[in-house]
């Protein structure tokens, strides 16, 4: 028995409801995992990230903590271009 006419729309609506419910489940799970950290764990992770970034700056060794955004990449490129212009030193 194949769906006809309005039955297709009912199936599309049902699929939408299932998708929304699944998204809610995923969001709730992520929220529970995020809230599972104790304040000491969060503090320790932040200190670790800071130490890595500071060591990278001192050693001139780049350790990316996060991927640069499009905005940050374009700002860095503009800064490099401006520094190459005559009279900018």
């Amino acid at each position: 028995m194949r769906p006809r006419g309005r039955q297709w729309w009912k199936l599309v609506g049902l699929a939408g409801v299932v998708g929304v419910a699944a998204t809610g489940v995923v969001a709730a799970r992520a929220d529970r995992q995020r809230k599972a950290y104790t304040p000491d764990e969060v503090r320790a992770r932040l200190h670790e990230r800071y130490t890595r970034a500071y060591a990278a700056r001192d050693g001139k060794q780049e350790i990316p903590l996060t991927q640069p955004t499009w905005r940050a990449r374009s700002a860095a490129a503009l800064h490099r271009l401006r520094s190459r212009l005559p009279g900018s030193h």
Side-chain angles (χ1 to χ4, degrees):
M1 176 172 215
R2 292 181 12 190
R4 289 178 277 163
R6 290 185 180 194
Q7 291 176 344
W8 279 109
W9 288 110
K10 288 179 183 179
L11 288 176
V12 169
L14 181 62
V17 169
V18 169
V20 169
T23 303
V25 168
V26 169
R29 181 182 301 159
D31 194 41
R32 279 195 309 270
Q33 288 176 349
R34 183 181 55 80
K35 289 181 180 179
Y37 292 122
T38 65
D40 290 332
E41 289 173 331
V42 172
R43 189 176 301 111
R45 294 178 92 189
L46 287 173
H47 283 294
E48 178 188 345
R49 287 179 64 186
Y50 174 77
T51 304
R52 287 178 58 209
Y54 192 75
R57 186 188 70 137
D58 283 349
K60 303 297 183 209
Q61 174 188 10
E62 187 173 334
I63 300 175
L65 298 177
T66 59
Q67 292 292 337
T69 62
W70 179 85
R71 186 176 186 177
R73 287 190 309 239
S74 60
L78 285 174
H79 181 70
R80 285 191 304 270
L81 285 174
R82 286 183 189 144
S83 65
R84 292 180 185 174
L85 292 175
S88 64
H89 299 286

